[in-house]
Amino acid sequence: PQGFGIYDIRDNNRYRANEDWKFLVRFNGQPLANRKVNLETSNGSKSELLTDAQGVLNLHVPDDFKPVEEKKPAGAHDHGVRRGADFVLAAEHVDGGKTYLTAFNGSYGPDAFEGRNLALGLGFTLLGMLGAVPLLRQRKDEQKNEDATNA
C-alpha cells in the first residue's frame, strides 16, 4: 500500500502483556529502516523503539497492569470482568519537505498466566490421572473376560 503506516505482520488483534509482536513500518510501500517509533499505553508506559534494517519493529507488550485489589463487599460478584488497556505506536517521517505522521492503535490484556498457579494445575492433572487408573484397569479386565468368552 502507498502512504505511511505501521502494520502488524501477523494481522493480530489479541495482544497480551509479556508477549512479543512484530510490526512493519513502511512509506510508499518501502520498509523504513532504523525508524524511531514511540509506544505509549493507557496504563502510563512509554518507550522509544527502533525498526531494524528491514523496517521491522519488535514490540514486547509491557506488563503495566496494577495488581487487582480484592476488596469486594460481602455478597458482591465480579462476574469475570476483564481488565484491558490500550496502546499506540506512533512514528514520523520527513520526505520532500513534508512531515508525515502515522499511528497504530491497539488494545491488550493482562499476561495469560496472571493469577494462575502452576503447582495447583499440575496437582489437579495428577489427581485426574490417578482417578482414571481404576477405570482403565476395569476396562482392561472387561476386555480379558470378553476375549475368554469368545475363545
Side-chain angles (χ1 to χ4, degrees):
Q2 295 297 309
F4 183 34
I6 300 172
Y7 308 92
D8 180 343
I9 290 177
R10 295 192 330 198
D11 201 22
N12 182 58
N13 61 2
R14 299 195 69 159
Y15 306 98
R16 291 195 168 277
N18 288 323
E19 290 182 342
D20 295 317
W21 295 97
K22 293 184 184 293
F23 292 83
L24 180 61
V25 179
R26 292 193 294 208
F27 181 75
N28 289 338
Q30 299 301 311
L32 292 177
N34 304 314
R35 178 69 46 204
K36 280 196 287 188
V37 178
N38 294 306
L39 166 71
E40 189 169 337
T41 73
S42 59
N43 285 341
S45 293
K46 294 180 181 182
S47 60
E48 190 175 274
L49 309 164
L50 198 62
T51 62
D52 64 14
Q54 289 78 38
V56 174
L57 170 75
N58 294 303
L59 170 68
H60 181 78
V61 180
D63 187 4
D64 56 2
F65 288 93
K66 292 181 175 65
V68 177
E69 293 185 24
E70 293 295 327
K71 295 180 185 176
K72 289 186 235 168
H77 301 282
D78 66 3
H79 299 288
V81 174
R82 295 181 184 258
R83 297 186 301 154
D86 298 315
F87 71 91
V88 63
L89 295 170
E92 182 178 306
H93 179 67
V94 178
D95 185 60
K98 290 184 180 178
T99 300
Y100 297 87
L101 302 174
T102 190
F104 179 94
N105 296 294
S107 59
Y108 64 105
D111 188 317
F113 296 105
E114 179 186 54
R116 303 264 163 61
N117 186 322
L118 181 60
L120 189 60
L122 288 173
F124 274 111
T125 301
L126 291 173
L127 186 63
M129 291 169 67
L130 288 174
V133 168
L135 297 172
L136 293 172
R137 193 170 276 169
Q138 179 184 2
R139 186 173 178 193
K140 190 174 182 181
D141 291 343
E142 287 174 1
Q143 186 67 37
K144 280 184 186 177
N145 291 340
E146 191 176 303
D147 289 346
T149 309
N150 292 336

